[in-house]
Amino acid sequence: ITVMTDAVFKDILEIVRTPYQLSGNATAAPLGNGHINQTVLVRDGKQLLVAQKINTLVFRNPGALVHNARTIESHLEYKKEAPGIIRHLPGKDGSYLHGPDRDVRVLEYINGSRSIEVLDSPVQARELAYSFARFSRALSDLDTGRLVSVIPDFHNPSMRYRHFLDALQIATAARTTACHSEVKFVCRTEPLLDEWHSLLKSLPVRICHNDCKISNILFSELDNQVLAVIDLDTTMPGSLITDFGDMVRTCCNPEVEDSRVLERVIVRPDVFEALTEGYKKGLKGIIQAQEISSLVSGALMVCFVQGVRFLTDFLAGDRYYQVDYSLHNLDRARNQFQLFRSLQAQESELKDICLLKV
Ligand code: GN1
Ligand code: MG
């Protein structure tokens, strides 16, 4: 899918100008590096807002996103231990979706916040994991039926594998050749998918964030304090181990997700330990022994499945994730598979770390 151009973000600005009563001086600039929605920071004098065009190929029903977000907002409002979130803001007519396709929304912006792509201290890992844990804890008494499952089977590894096989059928010869060894690797590793699938079915269903990547936490500009958990679009029933897996995937890697410096792509055990500490502390009394002993499996599964998803999109011709160049999804897949191998190599040490007392 296309990357954000000048025209796209000016378009978004025009759509929100009237409903949010912006002046003629308002400007918009790209914000963050999400792969799916298009996000801009709108500045109008001192006022700052986040405006976002929802990708309706991925999120077919933007109304469901707004419904879920508002349900979560009102549930968290009176919870003392809940982490901060950013709220959806209605336009002057009270509606949350704008533009001819009703796919543009506005969220609040938190002053003095920053997001990070690569973790530079284990302290950040502990704080981040603690915040995602408190998010699930605060939602643990929300009836799962209150949230729409916006993408069913989101973390179902067997479904992801089937999509990969489908993409292999339709891929061009050039693309299939370019990723020949990655395809072989996926097929060789396939037996693990059934194991993970059964594991997921044996674990409690809980409301999870489902996109616990490092950049979905806003830190203070000044220190490592967490100001908010963001991107609630995939918050729906799921399993804690896949949330934890996404934290490992994006925090333990000293390189960004699309780095080609594969010899530097390894799981940092000190960061892993900080994640387990923060996560178990934030979910104390809720997380069960079976979930704790499955955290490493969750990390293995998420890294592998994420690699499969990038590879699938490469084979399918880059339809799902935004790419900056033609091999971008393949580079991402290689990076994730390397991280998966590093996890496998350290599996028993990491399992021991999970069992340490907090
Ligand atoms: C996507 O929305 P964004 O860019 O944070 C994706 C996640 C992937 C992630 C990979 C709805 O997240 O599942 O883990 O990219 N979201 C969806 O970085 O598919
Ligand atoms: Mg997301």
Side-chain angles (χ1 to χ4, degrees):
I1 52 173
T2 50
V3 287
M4 191 146 57
T5 61
D6 264 32
V8 175
F9 60 82
K10 293 218 173 81
D11 231 38
I12 299 176
L13 178 61
E14 283 328 306
I15 288 173
V16 300
R17 192 185 298 279
T18 307
Y20 293 86
Q21 295 167 291
L22 303 174
S23 77
N25 297 326
T27 56
L31 180 68
N33 80 336
H35 300 340
I36 296 182
N37 297 324
Q38 295 176 311
T39 314
V40 295
L41 178 61
V42 174
R43 191 183 294 269
D44 189 18
K46 282 202 176 125
Q47 194 190 13
L48 289 168
L49 296 170
V50 177
Q52 197 171 48
K53 187 173 171 64
I54 297 165
N55 178 338
T56 49
L57 294 174
V58 173
F59 298 109
R60 290 179 190 274
N61 178 3
L65 296 187
V66 173
H67 165 86
N68 283 355
R70 302 203 56 229
T71 305
I72 295 164
E73 283 163 19
S74 55
H75 191 79
L76 297 190
E77 200 169 341
Y78 299 106
K79 296 238 161 182
K80 278 205 199 69
E81 14 66 280
I85 54 173
I86 59 174
R87 279 168 309 180
H88 283 54
L89 301 174
K92 64 173 188 234
D93 66 348
S95 61
Y96 287 86
L97 292 168
H98 308 280
D101 301 322
R102 292 285 183 210
D103 59 355
V104 174
R105 63 180 165 184
V106 169
L107 306 156
E108 54 187 351
Y109 177 79
I110 301 189
N111 270 316
S113 65
R114 63 180 168 130
S115 74
I116 55 178
E117 291 297 322
V118 172
L119 185 121
D120 47 53
S121 141
V123 175
Q124 292 166 338
R126 192 172 304 109
E127 293 299 310
L128 170 147
Y130 184 67
S131 302
F132 279 127
R134 284 192 314 162
F135 181 75
S136 276
R137 168 190 285 277
L139 292 172
S140 60
D141 58 346
L142 175 67
D143 176 1
T144 51
R146 298 275 311 281
L147 298 180
V148 182
S149 277
V150 280
I151 307 181
D153 276 332
F154 192 60
H155 278 298
N156 177 341
S158 312
M159 185 206 68
R160 297 295 182 191
Y161 186 70
R162 279 198 300 279
H163 287 178
F164 159 75
L165 293 178
D166 293 345
L168 207 49
Q169 294 297 315
I170 59 153
T172 63
R175 289 207 175 219
T176 315
T177 311
C179 62
H180 178 73
S181 63
E182 287 71 27
V183 168
K184 277 209 328 222
F185 174 72
V186 171
C187 296
R188 251 200 335 268
T189 315
E190 186 266 337
L192 285 176
L193 291 169
D194 274 346
E195 251 173 62
W196 291 328
H197 192 65
S198 327
L199 173 63
L200 285 181
K201 281 202 289 200
S202 73
L203 295 173
V205 173
R206 305 185 186 281
I207 293 181
C208 296
H209 182 281
N210 287 310
D211 192 8
C212 292
K213 56 197 236 184
I214 187 168
S215 52
N216 280 337
I217 286 287
L218 293 183
F219 287 96
S220 157
E221 231 163 44
L222 305 172
D223 53 30
N224 290 327
Q225 199 196 327
V226 170
L227 300 183
V229 167
I230 62 169
D231 187 2
L232 310 186
D233 290 341
T234 46
T235 300
M236 56 187 169
S239 136
L240 294 181
I241 67 163
T242 51
D243 268 6
F244 183 76
D246 254 325
M247 296 175 220
V248 173
R249 181 180 80 76
T250 57
C251 293
C252 293
N253 192 346
E255 291 286 306
V256 283
E257 175 182 84
D258 56 359
S259 163
R260 285 182 284 201
V261 192
L262 294 187
E263 60 278 14
R264 278 184 43 85
V265 172
I266 43 148
V267 171
R268 293 180 281 182
D270 57 331
V271 175
F272 183 89
E273 183 167 346
L275 287 176
T276 58
E277 273 174 31
Y279 203 55
K280 289 197 293 183
K281 188 168 156 229
L283 277 161
K284 212 177 175 95
I286 290 186
I287 191 167
Q288 296 172 3
Q290 195 206 353
E291 291 174 299
I292 294 176
S293 61
S294 307
L295 291 174
V296 177
S297 300
L300 282 159
M301 178 179 99
V302 167
C303 288
F304 181 73
V305 170
Q306 189 62 62
V308 171
R309 291 177 63 193
F310 286 140
L311 187 63
T312 301
D313 200 35
F314 175 72
L315 287 165
D318 308 320
R319 297 192 209 167
Y320 191 94
Y321 294 112
Q322 290 181 27
V323 292
D324 298 333
Y325 56 92
S326 64
L327 294 182
H328 204 165
N329 270 319
L330 179 55
D331 285 339
R332 288 168 173 152
R334 288 180 170 145
N335 178 303
Q336 302 295 291
F337 292 146
Q338 181 61 30
L339 199 62
F340 170 78
R341 285 188 286 265
S342 170
L343 271 171
Q344 272 189 320
Q346 301 180 70
E347 190 170 351
S348 68
E349 293 90 315
L350 298 178
K351 281 193 165 143
D352 291 343
I353 292 176
C354 290
L355 300 177
L356 296 173
K357 283 260 169 303
V358 290

